[in-house]
């Protein structure tokens, strides 16, 4: 039997800027059971400084966490926020 090949998403090199795709909660830790610390609106550019073990969650430069699928990484050399 053959196993299907599954494309793995490669995480961008940290740090990087990303655009928020939909209005999203920012959490205090990576995971859906973590407390909410704030929110970011669709179209906002955020600075990502790290990720959890499988990069399913990204850590923002303010210390909060957002689910990785809700962000679109900016191309290298793209705009960044101060």
């Amino acid at each position: 039997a053959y196993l299907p090949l599954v494309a793995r998403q490669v995480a961008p090199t940290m740090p990087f800027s990303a655009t928020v795709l939909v209005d999203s909660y920012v959490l205090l830790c990576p995971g859906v059971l973590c407390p909410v610390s704030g929110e970011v609106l669709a179209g906002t550019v955020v600075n990502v400084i790290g990720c959890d073990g499988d990069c399913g969650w990204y850590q923002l430069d303010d210390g909060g966490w957002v689910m990785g699928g809700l962000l679109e990484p900016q191309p290298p050399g793209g705009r960044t926020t101060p």
Side-chain angles (χ1 to χ4, degrees):
Y2 293 98
L3 296 175
L5 294 177
V6 177
R8 288 182 50 130
Q9 181 177 0
V10 177
T13 302
M14 307 291 168
F16 65 92
S17 295
T19 302
V20 179
L21 298 175
V22 296
D23 294 353
S24 307
Y25 288 121
V26 177
L27 305 178
L28 292 175
C29 57
V32 295
L33 299 179
C34 294
V36 173
S37 65
E39 61 183 290
V40 288
L41 301 177
T44 302
V45 176
V46 295
N47 292 314
V48 176
I49 61 168
C51 65
D52 66 349
D54 64 358
C55 286
W57 292 85
Y58 287 128
Q59 186 175 26
L60 307 182
D61 61 354
D62 68 358
W65 293 83
V66 175
M67 188 179 291
L70 303 177
L71 302 178
E72 177 68 31
Q74 296 284 310
R79 33 183 206 146
T80 59
T81 56

